[in-house]
Amino acid sequence: MAEVTLKGVTRSFGDKRAVDSLDLHIADGEFVVLLGPTGAGKTTTLRLIAGLEKPDAGTVEIGGRPMNGASPAGRDVAFVFQQYSLYPHLTVYENLAFPLRSPARRMDKATLDARVRQVAKMVRIDHKLENRSTRLSGGEMQRVAIGRALVRRPSIYLMDEPLSSLDAKLRGELRLELKRIQKELGATLLYVTHDQIEAMTMADRIGILAEGKLVQIGTPREIYANPANLHVAARLGQPHINLVPPGLLPDAATPAGTRTVGARTEHLEIARTEGGVAGNAEVDWIEHLGDQNHLHIKVGGHKLVTLADPDLPVEAGDRISVRLRQPLYFGSDGQRLA
Amino acid sequence: MSSAKTSSVTAAHSVVEPSPASRRIAGALVILYALVTLVPLAWIFLTSIKSPPDSISYPPKILFTPSLEGYCNLFTTRTRQTPDYIAALPPPSGVCDAVTRERNMVIAGPSNFLPRFTNSLIIAFGSTFLAVSLGTLAAYGFSRFKVPLADDLLFFILSTRMMPPIAVAIPIYLMYRQLGLSDTALGMMLLYTAVNVSLAVWLLKGFIDEIPREYEEAAMIDGYTRLQAFFKVVLPQATTGIAATAIFCLIFAWNEYAFASLLTSGSAQTAPPFIPTIIGEGGQDWPAVAAGTTIFLVPILVFTILLRKQLLRGITFGAVRK
Ligand SMILES: Nc1ncnc2c1ncn2[C@@H]1O[C@H](COP(=O)(O)OP(=O)(O)O)[C@@H](O)[C@H]1O
Ligand SMILES: [Mg+2]
């Protein structure tokens, strides 16, 4: 394992800047997740680190050594692709053994076999080693794909949305397993995704990527609680953060220059109006999710969504009072004010 | 290119499950068509096992005593002898000996059929191997690298197919004479390779385009060179396309007549120009011609049967490949 540093890395396709002067440091043994929507430059970033793309400017350093011009094979990275992860003409065993059989490695048969079986167990596919890789379910394929990276001990593992094609339940399981395995191995891992839950649950640090630029990087807690701007705030939180104009809801102190107030569930105090006090909001409808409710609220022509305790005794059409509690303030440029 | 065309084919297959009745009708039509196309082949085979008088009798004989005379005549040259001379010979040493003596002839030696047939095998399989190998490499290059003027080059490669090959027969004849390639197996192999390679590049580019490049990239990240990745990852997945292309190339090279009759006459002559010359040798020996044709059909038949699985999948140009 090794640390990886990107310095001012830029890559354009035509006049489209897929990655725009990206600076990123991944410490040895760290699990970093880059979070961004489709087209943000996530795949390109990984390909630049792997040497599948050449940067127009900037350098990639792996283990302190600049990688300019180094071939993919010379970089000692492992890559899990978003799609097409397994060789269809090989069995699961052969797929897992493939990286170890490369002429660059030359491993004796017994070591190879032991390693393949160990990793197969780790990703829980050891019962299907002799299957054709095309005869697997989506979840099993993804396990093998991850396993094929794990058979090696590279400087860094690069994973490109490896769970995005799976259903929610499997995704949840594999998320936990991947985090467990990474801890077990002490692996340096750069994982890119558009799924905020994957980012929040697995990352040591999350980097928010937008249009090729790294907007903010920090621990999941920091990114969630202290977003640098509107874009970052909007990437995280379920339900989606409510963006309202200042003054719409009662608040202790709104900083000067506020253009937008961002309020998640924890920033909203909701009370039933008792004894003739006129509330400032109306319950529009209630979405029952089982353990929680999504409360859809109408305030002066704006619609807000917040989580609510299922026991909260309100119904659609009820008047309620809503006030802000230390929300997020953003200026006219979208940057965070306080 | 081919994907649009084939996707509609697969859609038609998956959407409408044929009813048993339409299945039976389709089956009957296929059998009928097969019978019609098989009649000439059956006739050729039957003629090859007739005796020369039976082969030209009118009305044609459906029932006859099979004879190996056609095959004997195909493989041998014979000389006419007096009955006394033949009677004085030791007993015949084989079927062909006996059959020949009944016609007052003795076997003088082997005919040219076997060497000509061998020439055909060498030239057709050799040129197919060359065309498919070169085609695969070129198609891979066009598919994966930024080749300057790639589209123009591909069009140029295709344009070599736009005129009938025989249009360039005279220039090639003169060129080959200068280069000493006339009537050599190498010359014929190069010629057929040149004609087939354009087809091979185009067919194979379609197949290779459909193999996601992530497979090779994964291999290269895992420590393989591009060439190793090509052999370990791309080739195994392109087998379908390679098989289909090889059959097309082989059929062309195997059947080619015009260039062969123009450029070969002796040591490098292939079977197609040779077979008609059998007719002239001592009367119209139709059974021998038919025997030559029958044997001529065998290699293509065997090759196609061996590759038929790949061919069936390949002929849909990757649509069914998964
Ligand atoms: N090979 C390429 N050719 C042209 N444009 C590309 C290429 N690869 C990526 N892009 C463009 O760069 C941008 C970032 O792409 P990508 O890194 O794949 O984003 P992500 O993985 O975050 O969805 C996109 O606008 C995409 O269209
Ligand atoms: Mg991507």
Side-chain angles (χ1 to χ4, degrees):
Chain A
M1 295 296 134
E3 55 171 9
V4 171
T5 310
L6 275 64
K7 289 181 182 162
V9 171
T10 301
R11 176 71 166 106
S12 303
F13 296 103
D15 45 10
K16 166 91 191 165
R17 287 208 166 186
V19 173
D20 196 353
S21 29
L22 188 72
D23 291 306
L24 178 66
H25 176 79
I26 302 159
D28 193 2
E30 197 181 17
F31 194 141
V32 172
V33 174
L34 290 182
L35 179 65
T38 302
K42 304 183 296 294
T43 300
T44 309
T45 304
L46 295 185
R47 292 174 61 87
L48 284 161
I49 298 174
L52 296 173
E53 302 280 354
K54 287 194 174 51
D56 301 329
T59 51
V60 174
E61 288 176 12
I62 298 177
R65 283 184 306 129
M67 287 288 131
N68 303 12
S71 69
R75 297 189 177 210
D76 192 28
V77 303
F79 204 126
V80 179
F81 286 85
Q82 191 168 354
Q83 270 179 300
Y84 308 120
S85 29
L86 302 184
Y87 301 122
H89 59 294
L90 300 179
T91 63
V92 169
Y93 185 97
E94 288 163 341
N95 262 287
L96 290 173
F98 192 84
L100 301 178
R101 287 187 173 143
S102 93
R105 248 165 291 274
R106 296 253 169 259
M107 184 175 268
D108 69 82
K109 259 207 165 119
T111 322
L112 182 145
D113 187 68
R115 182 78 74 83
V116 167
R117 288 178 194 283
Q118 177 205 350
V119 166
K121 200 164 273 164
M122 203 187 277
V123 294
R124 313 220 162 112
I125 199 73
D126 43 331
H127 56 298
K128 295 218 165 151
L129 279 176
E130 295 314 318
N131 282 36
R132 269 310 259 267
S133 59
T134 44
R135 296 275 156 79
L136 299 177
S137 71
E140 291 165 341
M141 283 192 185
Q142 245 16 45
R143 280 165 202 272
V144 180
I146 292 169
R148 210 178 52 193
L150 296 178
V151 290
R152 291 176 44 203
R153 296 291 136 74
S155 303
I156 185 168
Y157 294 102
L158 305 171
M159 300 197 181
D160 191 356
E161 314 203 27
L163 309 183
S164 64
S165 57
L166 306 179
D167 63 54
K169 181 164 170 289
L170 261 174
R171 219 161 42 214
E173 282 173 26
L174 283 180
R175 222 158 53 205
L176 291 176
E177 281 182 39
L178 194 58
K179 182 66 190 173
R180 170 181 64 81
I181 291 168
Q182 183 264 339
K183 274 211 183 119
E184 232 171 79
L185 298 175
T188 313
L189 206 162
L190 179 59
Y191 183 108
V192 307
T193 181
H194 65 267
D195 183 324
Q196 53 162 314
I197 299 178
E198 284 177 16
M200 291 298 284
T201 52
M202 292 191 291
D204 294 325
R205 284 193 300 152
I206 296 176
I208 303 288
L209 205 60
E211 295 180 339
K213 290 197 179 72
L214 188 63
V215 184
Q216 189 179 1
I217 183 159
T219 63
R221 202 59 236 159
E222 278 167 20
I223 298 279
Y224 181 81
N226 274 318
N229 59 30
L230 264 177
H231 176 87
V232 176
R235 294 292 320 162
L236 295 173
Q238 251 320 318
H240 205 249
I241 192 167
N242 298 294
L243 300 173
V244 297
L248 181 75
L249 296 168
D251 188 12
T254 310
T258 299
R259 166 71 67 86
T260 312
V261 178
R264 296 195 182 106
T265 296
E266 63 271 25
H267 303 130
L268 294 170
E269 252 172 50
I270 294 176
R272 280 190 346 119
T273 50
E274 312 260 359
V277 183
N280 60 346
E282 183 189 324
V283 176
D284 194 7
W285 55 290
I286 301 173
E287 213 177 339
H288 297 280
L289 302 179
D291 56 336
Q292 292 167 328
N293 287 345
H294 277 180
L295 208 57
H296 295 250
I297 304 169
K298 272 203 297 210
V299 190
H302 288 265
K303 291 189 175 180
L304 310 186
V305 186
T306 177
L307 278 181
D309 199 311
D311 299 333
L312 187 76
V314 293
E315 286 173 28
D318 282 3
R319 297 295 293 176
I320 52 171
S321 74
V322 180
R323 52 179 295 113
L324 293 166
R325 184 175 54 193
Q326 297 172 342
L328 308 167
Y329 302 104
F330 301 96
S332 55
D333 55 356
Q335 293 302 309
R336 178 86 182 287
L337 296 172
Chain B
M1 172 198 71
S2 58
S3 58
K5 198 170 58 193
T6 46
S7 61
S8 61
V9 174
T10 41
H13 275 288
S14 56
V15 172
V16 190
E17 188 61 32
S19 70
S22 63
R23 245 176 221 278
R24 239 169 284 146
I25 294 173
L29 284 176
V30 167
I31 289 172
L32 188 70
Y33 178 74
L35 284 178
V36 170
T37 50
L38 281 175
V39 165
L41 293 180
W43 197 254
I44 288 171
F45 176 70
L46 288 179
T47 306
S48 79
I49 54 171
K50 282 179 182 174
S51 65
D54 281 348
S55 74
I56 49 170
S57 74
Y58 190 86
K61 284 192 179 170
I62 303 290
L63 295 175
F64 55 89
T65 323
S67 149
L68 279 177
E69 197 169 346
Y71 290 90
C72 291
N73 292 353
L74 176 67
F75 283 101
T76 58
T77 55
R78 300 156 304 281
T79 50
R80 188 163 294 280
Q81 296 293 347
T82 58
D84 301 339
Y85 174 85
I86 288 171
L89 287 175
S93 59
V95 185
C96 283
D97 244 357
V99 168
T100 314
R101 286 181 196 183
E102 278 169 28
R103 305 254 175 245
N104 282 338
M105 301 214 263
V106 292
I107 292 172
S111 76
N112 272 335
F113 181 73
L114 207 56
R116 302 306 190 242
F117 186 78
T118 314
N119 281 342
S120 263
L121 284 176
I122 293 170
I123 290 168
F125 279 91
S127 74
T128 299
F129 177 78
L130 279 178
V132 172
S133 309
L134 291 174
T136 309
L137 290 173
Y140 180 76
F142 277 116
S143 172
R144 294 299 197 256
F145 297 105
K146 274 214 180 85
V147 180
L149 300 178
D151 289 347
D152 304 282
L153 280 174
L154 279 170
F155 180 78
F156 168 73
I157 290 173
L158 184 67
S159 71
T160 61
R161 276 251 150 173
M162 287 180 185
M163 59 189 169
I166 201 67
V168 292
I170 303 297
I172 285 181
Y173 177 76
L174 297 173
M175 224 161 72
Y176 268 37
R177 222 173 41 182
Q178 285 288 316
L179 294 171
L181 285 172
S182 315
D183 204 17
T184 62
L186 178 67
M188 294 314 288
M189 238 188 277
L190 290 178
L191 183 63
Y192 292 163
T193 304
V195 176
N196 272 334
V197 84
S198 63
L199 176 79
V201 171
W202 272 82
L203 281 180
L204 285 164
K205 182 171 177 298
F207 283 103
I208 291 176
D209 279 344
E210 282 186 30
I211 302 171
R213 58 178 65 206
E214 275 88 345
Y215 287 129
E216 296 138 77
E217 293 179 338
M220 286 194 280
I221 287 172
D222 285 338
Y224 292 81
T225 64
R226 183 173 281 277
L227 204 63
Q228 289 160 343
F230 172 77
F231 282 112
K232 291 239 170 204
V233 179
V234 180
L235 270 195
Q237 295 189 56
T239 45
T240 313
I242 289 174
T245 309
I247 287 181
F248 284 128
C249 291
L250 184 74
I251 288 175
F252 169 82
W254 187 253
N255 290 342
E256 207 285 327
Y257 177 80
F259 277 119
S261 59
L262 186 73
L263 296 176
T264 67
S265 49
S267 61
Q269 194 182 40
T270 54
F274 174 76
I275 289 172
T277 65
I278 304 169
I279 303 176
E281 289 172 10
Q284 302 210 325
D285 195 352
W286 292 113
V289 173
T293 312
T294 304
I295 293 175
F296 183 69
L297 290 172
V298 172
I300 290 278
L301 201 67
V302 171
F303 193 68
T304 313
I305 288 173
L306 285 180
L307 296 185
R308 75 183 181 287
K309 248 199 202 134
Q310 277 78 5
L311 187 65
L312 271 180
R313 278 186 298 163
I315 215 93
T316 59
F317 297 105
V320 196
R321 190 171 58 80
K322 193 71 210 221

